[in-house]
Amino acid sequence: MILNSSSDKSSVALAQCRGYVFSEVFSSVQKVISGLFPNYDDLPFKPGLKVFLNPNLLSPRTPEEAVTTHPVFMEAVIQLLLDYGCNVVLGDDPSFGRNIQELYDKTGVTGLAKRFNIKVVTLQKEGVVKLKVNNAKVPEVYISRLIYDTDYVISLPKWKTHNLTVITVGVKNSYGLLPGVQKANYHKVFPDPYLFSEFLIDLFGAYHPDLFLMDGVLAMDGEGPAGGRIFNGNLIAGSKDALALDSVIARIMGIIPDEIDFLKIGGEKGYGMIDSGNIRIIGESIESFQKTDFQVPSVETVRLAVKILPGFLVNWVKFYPYINPKLCISCRKCEETCPVQAIFMRDKKMKIDYNKCIGCLCCKEVCPVDAVEVRLSAFFRFLKKIKKIFSGRRKKGKKKDEKA
């Protein structure tokens, strides 16, 4: 989808949902769908339609950890599609390759498959096809054949922050349609966050799902997409335009969409709407979900600092992954996932070779116990302390002025 006309508006539907009670989730999903397709003739779901659902199944985590799309949310979407007479296929393909059954068991997918008697797939086992991408470094990728073997694809992202892309909702979840370890390997090709965001958008422009329905009832900010702070988002959202959806979520979190690289690049290339004037909000208002204490990833703070610091100080502002030995269980998933083989075991402890590490934080994504932490360089920590001291003084000075 390319939206070039300024007269085009993308719709984003927002519905409140205060918990994972099936009746409430189902009602909110219905509100989103009816908002996006107000006329029955426009509704794409017809009897016999083969629909592929692609949730965010990042790693084997329980629903309460807010890392993966919640099974009750998936259940509501499945039930809605079955009510329309559709045939449903559900699946994903996480970066790590072992014990897929554990992933499906922990995330609730196994139970859904049994209850609804639907097919659950691992994308790399369904075969792949070549997809041409308008990118100089990677002109083609292998993508799941399943997206061409089904009639309609719905992405079911989880509302989370992301250490590399700031947020992960519609656009980033589409990256999951690349089967196998190539997802991790492309971090090696594009170690710079901006270049990775550019590739992400080029890939999105080559192919993306037909519809995006976001689970934001329980969400994550801070050091996402795993190990961040869990909060009650109380939101279910949807759009046919992933950039518009992601832009709305950014605004809810107090982030200007233009400050997120992949949104800025995608908007400039015409792959969707990011300007609020070109986005029609249906249902609840954006203000209904805004808070004052949303936390962005540390990496985003570093990125913004790099933009304003003098060039000779830039190399002093860094972030890096650190494996906390007190939390690490030596499962070695980080080692398996690392695209540059920078992680190894020594003396029964996982270590990182920082001469090889490219800071992609794939290790953090797959760690099942949140043992991988994001550390900031000493100089940057010093800058943050200075900022905190001065901001505290400004607040005290303001209070004195108010009293006077």
Side-chain angles (χ1 to χ4, degrees):
M1 176 180 62
I2 298 181
L3 303 173
N4 290 319
S5 172
S6 59
S7 62
D8 290 330
K9 275 198 174 186
S10 292
S11 296
V12 176
L14 307 177
Q16 280 208 356
C17 185
R18 298 191 178 278
Y20 288 110
V21 177
F22 175 78
S23 59
E24 294 182 20
V25 177
F26 187 77
S27 175
S28 296
V29 171
Q30 279 185 316
K31 289 176 182 177
V32 168
I33 293 298
S34 61
L36 297 175
F37 305 101
N39 300 316
Y40 182 80
D41 291 340
D42 296 331
L43 194 68
F45 312 126
K46 309 295 181 185
L49 187 79
K50 189 175 181 181
V51 181
F52 172 54
L53 298 179
N54 180 221
N56 183 330
L57 302 180
L58 178 65
S59 59
R61 299 295 194 98
T62 61
E64 295 74 26
E65 293 176 270
V67 173
T68 57
T69 306
H70 200 283
V72 175
F73 179 76
M74 291 189 274
E75 179 185 4
V77 176
I78 292 169
Q79 186 62 67
L80 186 78
L81 293 171
L82 293 178
D83 288 348
Y84 283 117
C86 300
N87 300 317
V88 178
V89 179
L90 177 70
D92 194 20
D93 203 334
S95 297
F96 68 94
R98 73 181 186 186
N99 208 346
I100 298 298
Q101 192 56 54
E102 179 195 7
L103 173 77
Y104 290 155
D105 290 346
K106 277 199 170 182
T107 56
V109 169
T110 302
L112 291 173
K114 290 178 180 178
R115 178 175 177 182
F116 290 105
N117 193 28
I118 60 173
K119 184 180 180 182
V120 174
V121 299
T122 302
L123 299 186
Q124 58 184 313
K125 294 181 180 180
E126 297 299 307
V128 296
V129 293
K130 284 185 179 180
L131 177 70
K132 292 188 180 300
V133 180
N134 186 24
N135 185 278
K137 274 194 173 182
V138 181
E140 62 181 25
V141 298
Y142 289 96
I143 197 165
S144 174
R145 180 182 295 278
L146 189 64
I147 64 173
Y148 297 108
D149 291 341
T150 51
D151 304 311
Y152 200 84
V153 178
I154 303 178
S155 177
L156 302 179
K158 184 76 172 176
W159 178 6
K160 299 185 292 181
T161 49
H162 195 284
N163 270 302
L164 195 63
T165 59
V166 187
I167 61 171
T168 170
V169 187
V171 174
K172 182 63 171 65
N173 200 54
S174 302
Y175 189 63
L177 293 171
L178 295 179
V181 297
Q182 61 177 320
K183 288 192 289 290
N185 288 337
Y186 286 133
H187 287 288
K188 181 179 179 180
V189 180
F190 302 101
D192 178 80
Y194 181 86
L195 294 178
F196 178 79
S197 292
E198 194 172 46
F199 172 65
L200 180 66
I201 279 297
D202 289 340
L203 182 65
F204 180 83
Y207 176 83
H208 55 80
D210 302 288
L211 180 65
F212 303 85
L213 299 174
M214 186 199 77
D215 168 19
V217 181
L218 200 62
M220 180 180 291
D221 66 1
E223 306 301 336
R229 183 184 69 164
I230 300 170
F231 69 94
N232 293 313
N234 300 326
L235 170 62
I236 288 175
S239 181
K240 291 182 284 184
D241 179 352
L243 272 78
L245 174 61
D246 289 15
S247 297
V248 168
I249 297 305
R251 287 191 176 89
I252 287 174
M253 301 184 75
I255 306 170
I256 300 171
D258 263 353
E259 292 181 352
I260 298 177
D261 289 335
F262 75 85
L263 287 179
K264 182 177 175 61
I265 297 167
E268 290 172 349
K269 291 191 174 186
Y271 292 145
M273 297 299 184
I274 68 169
D275 187 89
S276 59
N278 290 323
I279 299 174
R280 182 186 300 106
I281 302 298
I282 298 169
E284 302 287 341
S285 67
I286 288 178
E287 291 74 23
S288 302
F289 305 98
Q290 287 179 327
K291 300 178 182 179
T292 58
D293 63 341
F294 280 117
Q295 296 179 4
V296 297
S298 299
V299 176
E300 173 64 1
T301 309
V302 171
R303 190 185 69 84
L304 293 174
V306 166
K307 286 186 174 182
I308 62 174
L309 283 174
F312 69 94
L313 290 177
V314 167
N315 289 332
W316 291 64
V317 179
K318 295 180 179 179
F319 65 89
Y320 56 92
Y322 168 77
I323 301 175
N324 188 331
K326 294 181 181 179
L327 299 177
C328 179
I329 58 174
S330 299
C331 67
R332 306 187 81 157
K333 287 180 179 176
C334 55
E335 181 182 15
E336 294 174 6
T337 304
C338 181
V340 292
Q341 293 79 52
I343 302 176
F344 58 96
M345 181 177 279
R346 179 188 292 165
D347 300 328
K348 297 182 179 180
K349 292 183 179 180
M350 301 309 299
K351 304 287 185 179
I352 299 176
D353 182 347
Y354 290 108
N355 291 320
K356 291 183 178 180
C357 178
I358 58 175
C360 66
L361 300 177
C362 288
C363 52
K364 178 172 173 55
E365 287 192 21
V366 301
C367 180
V369 293
D370 299 331
V372 181
E373 303 169 359
V374 178
R375 294 286 179 93
L376 301 174
S377 63
F379 178 69
F380 190 72
R381 293 198 303 272
F382 170 73
L383 289 180
K384 288 186 74 175
K385 284 183 179 179
I386 293 295
K387 179 185 175 184
K388 189 174 181 180
I389 290 170
F390 277 95
S391 62
R393 286 179 178 175
R394 282 197 298 268
K395 286 180 181 178
K396 287 181 180 179
K398 186 178 180 181
K399 286 182 180 179
K400 286 182 179 179
D401 289 341
E402 288 173 353
K403 287 180 179 179

